[in-house]
Amino acid sequence: MQTQRTQLISTTLGTNRELVSFHFGTPGAGEKVYVQASLHADETPAMLTAWQLKRRLSTLEADGRVRGEVVLVPVANPVGLSQHVLGQFLGRFEANSGHNFNRSFPMPQAEALVARVGTRWTRDPRENARLLRGAVREMLAESTARNEFESLRLTLLTLAADADVILDLHCSLEATLHLYTSPASWPAIEPLARYLGANGVLLATDSGGQSFDEIHTLLWNEVRAVLGEETPLAAPNIAVTVEHRGQRDVSYETAEHDADAIVEFLVRRGVIEGEAREMPPLLHPATPLAGSEQFVAPVSGVVVYRAQVGAFLHAGDAVFDIVDPLTDVVTTVTTKNDGVFYMRRAIRFAYAGAPMGRVSGATAFRTGVLVGA
Ligand SMILES: [Zn+2]
């Protein structure tokens, strides 16, 4: 295991942060897999899973079983980790700018990348993929970060840019284990969903959020469109966001289970030598992110959830009540679709319009930006 420390731009006099990455296996020996955890800094179940994964990868490497390369960043957001305001941990947004740490990731423009490779494009899709990855790395290396936030994002992008497989480990507020990925990545990700026991898989090619996992697939689609059919490009990087349940679901048992599932997935891909365990069945078919029913509070009041997180609900089932102790009015909100109640709010008071939870649905009906702030 090699340890790499990348210094981030110092925000203020007398402070320095670094991004630490652990590198297993041999670059170029096989597939490159990039795994990062807790890009939203207050999502610690992911960090504990990454720690368990690090221990497993160290043993596997010592046994000579790592065939490809695995880059692991267990603490992907040292900036957000230090944001505590009046006792509240603010790990999702950068306190200075208000930017969500996992939105609007900057990537080189498709036209510029195509021009960068220029006359070197070939008829071989795999060679073209290699050329594209090289061009992305070159252009990222030429990018200049102006502050600590930008240098963090540039460091993460640079570590992941030439990976074949990207796993971005997060968690939700109160949630069952679920995944976000693209339809293009889904066939390759299905074994991971099975080993993890994912209770939901939400698919979108472009959710409008430009999240870390999504930009890699999106970029390849854009480059493919610029290149045209004459210049074929191999399948894009496989990328997924794993939501390791809710923020308070931190236990050795779940972290060990999830790390084991990731190892099984890597064995199955041939990145780790061994015999892959038989895949458990998929709990639910993947559904479009645009089919996810997203509840908001119609009025303010005390929140009483009627549905358990992870439950499969049928249209008309009660999801939650909002109780007004001044007027005695109890407002019940029901689901319009059948699906898994995969995440919900952590705080039991709602303001009018507060996001309250989501139920997956098989039929796409939403348009525009599909992810929350
Ligand atoms: Zn997150």
Side-chain angles (χ1 to χ4, degrees):
M1 182 183 82
Q2 305 285 322
T3 305
Q4 186 178 309
R5 299 174 183 277
T6 308
Q7 297 298 316
L8 305 181
I9 289 177
S10 168
T11 292
T12 49
L13 297 173
T15 66
N16 271 301
R17 291 196 182 86
E18 61 182 14
L19 197 283
V20 183
S21 54
F22 300 100
H23 300 246
F24 302 88
T26 311
E31 278 197 334
K32 175 177 173 178
V33 178
Y34 174 80
V35 187
Q36 70 177 24
S38 306
L39 177 57
H40 288 137
D42 50 358
E43 298 178 357
T44 44
M47 215 183 280
L48 195 69
T49 297
W51 174 62
Q52 290 291 340
L53 184 60
K54 181 169 160 237
R55 298 177 66 175
R56 282 154 177 73
L57 289 170
S58 297
T59 305
L60 290 162
E61 188 180 54
D63 294 345
R65 289 179 57 193
V66 180
R67 279 190 195 156
E69 181 189 11
V70 183
V71 176
L72 177 64
V73 180
V75 181
N77 188 353
V79 178
L81 276 181
S82 66
Q83 296 184 162
H84 299 262
V85 180
L86 302 175
Q88 300 296 309
F89 189 176
L90 302 176
R92 187 173 181 82
F93 301 92
E94 205 249 347
N96 193 34
S97 64
H99 290 309
N100 184 320
F101 282 107
N102 192 25
R103 295 288 182 274
S104 306
F105 261 92
M107 272 295 230
Q109 294 297 309
E111 289 82 2
L113 285 163
V114 171
R116 167 69 61 120
V117 176
T119 57
R120 291 179 290 142
W121 291 110
T122 69
R123 300 257 174 184
D124 177 0
R126 292 175 71 88
E127 174 60 10
N128 289 342
R130 196 188 65 78
L131 288 167
L132 175 57
R133 289 189 174 122
V136 171
R137 282 187 68 88
E138 279 175 26
M139 292 188 71
L140 288 174
E142 292 164 10
S143 305
T144 310
R146 295 168 299 180
N147 54 45
E148 190 182 47
F149 176 74
E150 289 182 1
S151 69
L152 172 67
R153 285 153 64 105
L154 192 54
T155 303
L156 297 173
L157 282 177
T158 302
L159 286 167
D162 59 350
D164 301 282
V165 180
I166 293 166
L167 309 184
D168 195 6
L169 312 185
H170 289 244
C171 76
S172 193
L173 300 172
E174 289 186 356
T176 187
L177 196 147
H178 60 284
L179 310 181
Y180 294 95
T181 189
S182 64
S185 289
W186 172 231
I189 290 298
E190 186 178 335
L192 178 65
R194 290 183 178 219
Y195 287 125
L196 283 168
N199 207 7
V201 179
L202 290 308
L203 299 182
T205 298
D206 185 1
S207 69
Q210 293 182 293
S211 57
F212 188 83
D213 73 319
E214 197 173 85
I215 47 155
H216 298 276
T217 316
L218 272 183
L219 177 71
W220 283 54
N221 290 346
E222 289 165 7
V223 169
R224 188 175 282 115
V226 175
L227 282 174
E229 287 178 11
E230 295 287 289
T231 311
L233 192 59
N237 304 6
I238 296 155
V240 63
T241 292
V242 181
E243 302 283 351
H244 293 270
R245 308 172 192 81
Q247 274 179 322
R248 294 171 68 180
D249 295 322
V250 179
S251 74
Y252 289 125
E253 290 74 20
T254 50
E256 286 168 5
H257 168 272
D258 295 354
D260 284 340
I262 293 170
V263 169
E264 290 290 347
F265 169 68
L266 298 181
V267 169
R268 196 167 185 89
R269 289 200 69 79
V271 178
I272 292 169
E273 202 175 285
E275 196 74 22
R277 185 164 57 88
E278 196 184 333
M279 284 196 294
L282 187 65
L283 295 182
H284 299 286
T287 54
L289 181 57
S292 162
E293 191 175 351
Q294 313 222 339
F295 301 96
V296 295
V299 292
S300 175
V302 178
V303 177
V304 181
Y305 279 106
R306 304 266 300 272
Q308 293 300 313
V309 80
F312 190 92
L313 304 183
H314 296 281
D317 283 351
V319 183
F320 59 90
D321 289 344
I322 295 187
V323 178
D324 182 339
L326 303 178
T327 63
D328 303 334
V329 173
V330 176
T331 307
T332 300
V333 172
T334 59
T335 176
K336 293 187 178 65
N337 302 297
D338 294 357
V340 176
F341 186 34
Y342 63 92
M343 68 82 67
R344 70 185 187 188
R345 184 179 181 79
I347 295 169
R348 296 297 190 261
F349 179 77
Y351 51 88
M356 298 299 293
R358 301 172 193 165
V359 169
S360 62
T363 308
F365 65 94
R366 296 189 300 134
T367 54
V369 176
L370 301 174
V371 288

